[in-house]
Amino acid sequence: MLYSEKVMEHFASPHNVGELENADGIGEVGNAKCGDIMKMYLKIDNNVITDAKFKTFGCGAAIATSSMATDMVKGKPVSEALKLTNKAVVEALDGLPAQKLHCSVLAEQAIRSALSDYYTRQGIDPLPIVGEIGECASCS
Amino acid sequence: MKIYADNAATTPVLPEILSVMLPCFTENYGNPSSIYSLGMNALRAIEKARSQCAAAIGAKTNEIYFTGCGTEADNWAIKETARRLKREKSKTEIITTNFEHHAVLHCCQALEKDGFTVKYLPVDEYGYITASQVADAITDNTALVTIMYANNEIGTILPIPEIGKICREKGVIFHTDAVQAIGNVPINVVEQNIDMMSVSGHKIHAPKGVGFLYCKNGLKLDRFMHGGAQERGKRAGTENTAGIVALGEAITLATAGIEDRQAKIITMRDKLIKELSKIPASRVNGGVEDGKRLPGNVNMSFIGIEGESLLLNLDLAGISASSGSACTSGSLDPSHVLLALGLPHEIAHGSLRLSINEYNTDEEIDYIIETVPKVCAKIRAMSPLWEDLTHKPEMFERFAPQLSSIN
């Protein structure tokens, strides 16, 4: 199995590791049984994601996709973050081995799960905006 | 510091072995099937290696069949023996264990599709089975018993002579995959009642791409590769002269003075196990009884840590190690060996295998002991699973019986 240099860069020195004390949205996806858990924290001011942090239990790809996905939503309006796809994360990392693509799906779901939590906290039903988060296909 | 601690995956070719190989490429390059002296010289080198392999395991030279790897020897022994006994005696049952190498397990699974029934004997929580488990499983329908000599992940050494004795008494053919055991455990196929045995070269400092199958005289062995007359017509294909010559040399070195080599390796192994067990919420996988664990094998689990990120971080620190079997690294499932011990997925995912040999030094062991706890702490600091466990001890209780203290 071969990881791209970009993946190894993000694995060796992941960006945005940690928690946000006053997070406006927190999302957690995956489970320990399948070997990956991602927890994302978002700080949102005036519909803009001003900060993003993560904690991840998982393989090299899980950590690299968490790092990249948080980078990609930071400073972006919520409406743009909602459009983040796992494919975009994979492309930004110069590709992932086929058996690790599910990690990028988890990263996308973790962001959406955190945004869903954000809307719920605002008293807004997240379902019409964020949609179903869904289960990772590899876990079900 | 660069430390190689994955000798159960493969080993470097030793200079003295390389030096006997090199002339096979450039001087003694004849086809061993050719009649002129260049060919005969190559054949002579192969037959010398065959004698060396035979001598190393107490076999006769005509009981050794060279193969391309240990996996090939397993495939040959298991599939051809099973199919022959089904054809000749209508026997359709195979007995093995649930923690074999995939080279054996996947052969058995392939035979299941061909109408065989496979009994996977369960190992206990330390990774052992007993000869009486085998005795109880054998029926009149049993074609073959195939049980590994020593486990590649957790290093447990199984009671092969006793299992072989039971099989002899019951008239059942007994095959063992000795890829991890050779050079670590003294093996004599006659004294230890072994009918068929697989060996690989690259675990004992020969190159990759060569191994052999031992098959006892008198036991029928079906042809594995159709073609020329090589390997007494049973395994066609021009011989890998250099690899075979290397294997002969390697097995001679590996099986000489096993006990002298082991004292040092066992001291280093036990130091690793003792010191790494101090990492909170860790456990040793496999038995630690004297003489029942491969001298160089360390296998531990650290909860809240995922094995691959542990390996990648260790690599960044200069340490080459493994998480379970390297062959399973392409899959997402935790090691079937650790699951066979009854470990939950959460613990099986966080395993580390270090396999050391006599070329590792005390300084290297100290560096590993210093580095692994740091890497574990780094990974746990960003692990939501670890965070949950430290904040909700009731979650931890579920795993407590299998781990050292969390604090």
Side-chain angles (χ1 to χ4, degrees):
Chain A
M1 202 184 62
L2 203 57
Y3 280 137
S4 71
E5 278 176 34
K6 200 93 186 174
V7 170
M8 285 311 294
E9 263 173 48
H10 277 263
F11 171 78
S13 314
H15 308 170
N16 316 312
V17 176
E19 299 171 22
L20 287 176
E21 259 186 37
N22 300 310
D24 299 300
I26 300 175
E28 185 173 320
V29 293
N31 63 66
K33 193 165 182 259
C34 80
D36 294 296
I37 303 174
M38 284 184 198
K39 196 168 180 180
M40 302 247 182
Y41 301 78
L42 300 178
K43 182 86 194 127
I44 298 171
D45 296 308
N46 296 322
N47 276 319
V48 173
I49 298 174
T50 52
D51 204 359
K53 297 257 186 218
F54 78 90
K55 278 186 137 184
T56 289
F57 161 80
C59 63
I63 289 164
T65 52
S66 305
S67 169
M68 182 56 88
T70 44
D71 264 1
M72 288 170 86
V73 298
K74 235 161 81 166
K76 298 277 162 59
V78 170
S79 56
E80 244 180 81
L82 281 167
K83 291 182 200 150
L84 179 79
T85 62
N86 77 301
K87 200 163 163 263
V89 176
V90 173
E91 276 168 15
L93 286 169
D94 296 338
L96 275 181
Q99 71 268 34
K100 298 290 187 183
L101 286 175
H102 78 108
C103 296
S104 65
V105 176
L106 273 183
E108 177 197 316
Q109 287 175 338
I111 298 282
R112 277 151 40 93
S113 167
L115 289 171
S116 188
D117 180 51
Y118 165 70
Y119 283 114
T120 306
R121 290 182 193 206
Q122 309 287 306
I124 301 167
D125 178 11
L127 200 62
I129 309 164
V130 185
E132 294 276 359
I133 306 295
E135 280 288 312
C136 170
S138 307
C139 302
S140 52
Chain B
M1 199 183 259
K2 287 278 176 207
I3 299 171
Y4 186 68
D6 203 15
N7 290 281
T10 194
T11 56
V13 175
L14 291 178
E16 56 265 48
I17 292 172
L18 182 64
S19 71
V20 299
M21 288 178 73
L22 289 177
C24 302
F25 295 112
T26 49
E27 295 155 37
N28 196 11
Y29 56 82
N31 187 319
S33 299
S34 299
I35 193 64
Y36 42 79
S37 52
L38 201 57
M40 277 197 278
N41 286 343
L43 187 58
R44 234 171 249 128
I46 287 172
E47 292 314 311
K48 181 189 168 196
R50 200 184 306 280
S51 310
Q52 288 172 310
C53 293
I57 60 164
K60 299 184 187 73
T61 51
N62 63 357
E63 294 175 322
I64 305 294
Y65 299 88
F66 289 114
T67 62
C69 54
T71 294
E72 184 190 325
D74 286 335
N75 271 261
W76 190 354
I78 295 167
K79 294 200 290 204
E80 297 306 325
T81 303
R83 286 172 185 157
R84 180 174 67 79
L85 284 174
K86 187 182 178 190
R87 196 173 61 237
E88 292 177 358
K89 298 186 177 169
S90 303
K91 294 189 176 188
T92 56
E93 187 181 87
I94 297 159
I95 296 168
T96 186
T97 72
N98 61 350
F99 83 150
E100 295 293 314
H101 191 276
H102 285 143
V104 169
L105 278 186
H106 290 173
C107 283
C108 290
Q109 285 161 10
L111 288 167
E112 282 177 316
K113 288 186 183 156
D114 288 347
F116 283 86
T117 306
V118 182
K119 289 180 180 168
Y120 299 95
L121 301 179
V123 295
D124 69 14
E125 60 182 305
Y126 300 105
Y128 295 115
I129 61 152
T130 62
S132 63
Q133 274 176 279
V134 180
D136 294 344
I138 292 175
T139 68
D140 292 341
N141 191 27
T142 305
L144 174 76
V145 171
T146 173
I147 291 176
M148 67 195 335
Y149 209 124
N151 185 271
N152 49 308
E153 292 189 36
I154 55 172
T156 49
I157 300 169
L158 300 185
I160 292 306
E162 291 79 9
I163 294 169
K165 186 163 173 274
I166 298 274
C167 292
R168 284 279 157 87
E169 285 165 9
K170 303 221 177 208
V172 174
I173 298 169
F174 175 49
H175 165 259
T176 185
D177 177 329
V179 165
Q180 294 292 335
I182 193 80
N184 286 311
V185 183
I187 297 178
N188 182 300
V189 289
V190 177
E191 290 168 11
Q192 298 176 3
N193 313 308
I194 298 166
D195 297 324
M196 304 175 101
M197 185 169 86
S198 305
V199 170
S200 170
H202 72 104
K203 312 286 191 191
I204 52 171
H205 303 286
K208 292 138 193 85
V210 68
F212 72 78
L213 173 65
Y214 152 80
C215 180
K216 189 167 71 96
N217 276 345
L219 192 62
K220 222 162 123 186
L221 180 65
D222 277 4
R223 181 176 294 135
F224 188 61
M225 294 269 264
H226 292 79
Q230 293 89 353
E231 297 306 292
R232 296 161 66 218
K234 297 194 185 294
R235 201 271 188 189
T238 302
E239 297 89 338
N240 169 11
T241 311
I244 289 169
V245 164
L247 176 55
E249 206 63 27
I251 200 168
T252 306
L253 292 171
T255 53
I258 288 180
E259 277 177 29
D260 299 340
R261 259 198 325 266
Q262 286 191 345
K264 181 196 165 195
I265 304 172
I266 289 173
T267 307
M268 292 192 294
R269 175 198 70 188
D270 291 350
K271 188 175 179 189
L272 279 171
I273 290 177
K274 183 171 164 244
E275 295 301 320
L276 296 182
S277 294
K278 292 178 182 166
I279 295 174
S282 60
R283 66 166 264 136
V284 181
N285 299 314
V288 287
E289 233 177 293
D290 267 352
K292 283 190 165 186
R293 185 181 191 111
L294 289 175
N297 176 284
V298 175
N299 191 309
M300 309 224 11
S301 287
F302 310 102
I303 197 165
I305 284 175
E306 192 281 328
E308 187 193 288
S309 58
L310 177 59
L311 297 188
L312 292 172
N313 271 299
L314 288 176
D315 185 40
L316 292 173
I319 301 168
S320 303
S322 157
S323 183
S325 167
C327 312
T328 60
S329 64
S331 121
L332 301 175
D333 296 325
S335 143
H336 71 282
V337 174
L338 298 179
L339 295 179
L341 303 182
L343 292 184
H345 281 61
E346 288 87 340
I347 297 179
H349 275 301
S351 78
L352 170 69
R353 179 188 71 180
L354 300 163
S355 44
I356 54 170
N357 67 15
E358 68 269 34
Y359 299 102
N360 289 107
T361 64
D362 289 332
E363 289 71 34
E364 291 180 342
I365 300 304
D366 289 342
Y367 180 74
I368 294 172
I369 289 168
E370 194 184 307
T371 307
V372 175
K374 284 186 201 160
V375 168
C376 285
K378 178 190 166 191
I379 297 172
R380 279 175 171 170
M382 61 187 287
S383 166
L385 178 60
W386 181 248
E387 179 192 322
D388 279 350
L389 288 169
T390 45
H391 289 129
K392 299 179 208 154
E394 67 275 11
M395 265 184 76
F396 177 72
E397 273 166 28
R398 190 152 71 89
F399 307 115
Q402 287 164 319
L403 297 170
S404 68
S405 162
I406 196 165
N407 293 311

